Amino acid sequence: MELSKETMKKIMWLIAYTILLAVMLFNLDVVFSGIKFVIGVLIPFILGTAVAFIINLPMRFFERTLFPDSLKNKKKAVRKIARPMSLILALLSVIGVVALVIFVVVPEIVRSVAALASTIQAFMPVAQNFIMELFPNNEAVKNLVMSLDFDWKEILNGLMDFLKNGAGAMLDSTFTFAKIVIGRISDFAIGFVFALYVLLQKEKLRIQIDKVMNAFLPDWITEKINRVFGLAHKTFGSFLTGQCVEAVILGMMFFVVLSLSGFPYALLISVLIGFLSLIPIFGAFIGCFISTFLILMVNPLRALIFIGIFLIIQQIEGNLIYPHVVGGSVGLPSIWVLAAVSLGGSLMGIVGMIIFIPLVSVFYTLFREHVYKRLELKHQAAKENVEEELQQKN
């Protein structure tokens, strides 16, 4: 049998692919080292892409609010100033939030933690006496309770010893530490400059990418890639915006209620719950546990009241605020949200919990469309078969 040139070409590609796969399997250490090297080289650009995606959200808001239809405007001056001004305003808003956290929230948290240390130290004897009165004839419990001693000076001294000795042993030398710091700063600087370029020239960059894909890929693959990236951009943007707005609203609700009710650590608890609520499902409950412990050190009765307040606000947030703020932007059933959070947490920790929900949502949407398309084709084929059978009978 004579083989055509096209068939011979496919066979040669298959043989080359098999040889390459076998070489990679027998040299996995080299493959992983190469992947690690490539990722290390690409880290600044990956970081820059992430920064650009985050800053693009407020930048689009300013561009649409202050400069509507700027791309369609015939005046070149308006088009040239719209994008840079929107970018500057977005950067100033991000810097303002960071400055607010550093200069307003952080000092309050430091004061709260300092007060908490003395509160715990004063609470320990009361707790010990309560437990000893509860178990007056149990020597084992009595010895265990008496052995509990929180000496904050010793704890701080131990922490300082770890920073001096343990951290020094891990870093090996000041030179290594300086090298790591300089490397991270340079990665962030390169990534930040790359992010600015992407934000200022995103339409031009999109056109260039489309040209490359159209030049090297078939049209149907290009359409699928654009479809996936468009869906991912929309889902991630809606999810991140909704989560941030929802976290701010939740934190403000707790701050107002706790402040008016005279609860201790009102600002610290509000910031803690608002920040942890960015972690889907589990975050708010982690914040509730920590906050309850903080209040328990001051007033056990108020700790019980706080749990009731938390459950009420959580119901209001879950049933009224979250559906309107985040809405159906993710488009995942509850069971798949839980699965995405669990899978993301096990693979990438807290960051995985946050990014896996929109990621799984994209996969779920594409897979659902594929399933519906297959069912429609199957239904159409069955309908045609029935029509053919009827024609044959007639």
Side-chain angles (χ1 to χ4, degrees):
M1 182 178 67
E2 186 177 353
L3 300 177
S4 63
K5 290 184 178 180
E6 187 66 26
T7 304
M8 288 295 297
K9 186 177 180 180
K10 291 181 179 179
I11 293 174
M12 293 298 295
W13 275 110
L14 181 61
I15 294 173
Y17 173 76
T18 305
I19 294 174
L20 179 62
L21 182 61
V23 171
M24 291 175 63
L25 290 175
F26 284 106
N27 297 275
L28 288 177
D29 54 341
V30 178
V31 172
F32 287 132
S33 299
I35 293 174
K36 185 178 180 181
F37 173 77
V38 172
I39 292 176
V41 173
L42 295 178
I43 276 180
F45 304 101
I46 296 174
L47 179 63
T49 303
V51 171
F53 183 83
I54 294 172
I55 297 179
N56 184 55
L57 299 176
M59 190 185 77
R60 280 194 307 169
F61 170 77
F62 287 119
E63 197 168 14
R64 292 174 178 176
T65 304
L66 302 178
F67 306 98
D69 300 327
S70 60
L71 294 177
K72 300 178 182 179
N73 201 306
K74 296 181 179 180
K75 296 182 180 180
K76 292 184 178 180
V78 176
R79 292 203 306 267
K80 287 184 178 180
I81 199 174
R83 180 61 52 79
M85 283 297 298
S86 302
L87 178 58
I88 291 172
L89 291 173
L91 290 174
L92 289 176
S93 63
V94 173
I95 293 172
V97 172
V98 174
L100 178 67
V101 172
I102 292 176
F103 295 108
V104 177
V105 178
V106 170
E108 180 64 25
I109 292 176
V110 171
R111 286 193 295 269
S112 300
V113 171
L116 177 64
S118 60
T119 302
I120 293 177
Q121 198 163 4
F123 176 77
M124 285 305 299
V126 178
Q128 289 174 340
N129 293 331
F130 175 77
I131 296 175
M132 289 176 65
E133 291 176 1
L134 193 63
F135 302 96
N137 299 321
N138 195 321
E139 291 294 329
V141 174
K142 181 178 178 180
N143 294 331
L144 178 62
V145 171
M146 295 303 296
S147 64
L148 296 176
D149 184 21
F150 286 83
D151 191 340
W152 291 102
K153 291 183 178 179
E154 291 186 4
I155 294 175
L156 292 175
N157 290 333
L159 180 61
M160 293 301 297
D161 290 338
F162 170 77
L163 293 176
K164 291 178 181 178
N165 301 323
M170 287 188 293
L171 295 175
D172 292 332
S173 65
T174 306
F175 176 76
T176 305
F177 177 72
K179 184 178 179 181
I180 293 174
V181 172
I182 293 174
R184 295 294 177 265
I185 293 175
S186 63
D187 288 344
F188 180 78
I190 296 172
F192 185 73
V193 173
F194 178 73
L196 295 181
Y197 171 79
V198 170
L199 291 171
L200 289 173
Q201 304 288 335
K202 57 182 182 179
E203 286 84 9
K204 184 178 180 181
L205 187 63
R206 173 65 185 273
I207 293 173
Q208 292 173 346
I209 294 174
D210 285 341
K211 287 182 179 179
V212 172
M213 289 194 300
N214 290 326
F216 293 97
L217 298 175
D219 292 340
W220 66 274
I221 294 181
T222 301
E223 291 178 2
K224 283 187 175 294
I225 292 175
N226 288 330
R227 161 73 173 150
V228 171
F229 275 97
L231 181 62
H233 181 269
K234 179 182 178 181
T235 304
F236 271 84
S238 300
F239 177 73
L240 288 178
T241 303
Q243 283 292 111
C244 291
V245 173
E246 189 256 348
V248 172
I249 295 175
L250 186 63
M252 291 179 64
M253 289 174 64
F254 271 99
F255 179 71
V256 171
V257 173
L258 296 181
S259 298
L260 294 177
S261 303
F263 276 80
Y265 313 117
L267 180 59
L268 175 61
I269 291 173
S270 303
V271 173
L272 185 66
I273 292 178
F275 179 75
L276 289 176
S277 66
L278 293 174
I279 304 173
I281 299 178
F282 304 113
F285 291 97
I286 296 173
C288 175
F289 176 79
I290 299 174
S291 303
T292 303
F293 174 76
L294 296 177
I295 300 174
L296 181 66
M297 296 296 102
V298 179
N299 192 322
L301 180 59
R302 290 220 162 195
L304 295 176
I305 298 174
F306 171 78
I307 294 176
I309 293 175
F310 174 84
L311 294 176
I312 294 173
I313 295 179
Q314 192 69 20
Q315 287 297 316
I316 295 173
E317 182 266 342
N319 295 317
L320 298 178
I321 299 175
Y322 192 87
H324 290 87
V325 174
V326 180
S329 61
V330 178
L332 270 182
S334 301
I335 184 65
W336 294 115
V337 172
L338 181 61
V341 171
S342 302
L343 180 62
S346 61
L347 293 177
M348 300 175 61
I350 294 177
V351 177
M353 289 183 179
I354 297 173
I355 68 173
F356 258 66
I357 288 182
L359 191 65
V360 173
S361 175
V362 172
F363 174 78
Y364 177 82
T365 302
L366 295 174
F367 184 70
R368 182 179 59 185
E369 290 179 355
H370 182 67
V371 169
Y372 286 163
K373 187 175 181 180
R374 297 268 302 184
L375 290 174
E376 185 178 353
L377 292 174
K378 189 174 181 180
H379 177 72
Q380 185 68 26
K383 185 178 180 181
E384 292 177 357
N385 291 333
V386 171
E387 292 178 353
E388 289 179 1
E389 291 178 358
L390 291 176
Q391 289 178 359
Q392 290 176 359
K393 288 181 179 179
N394 295 329

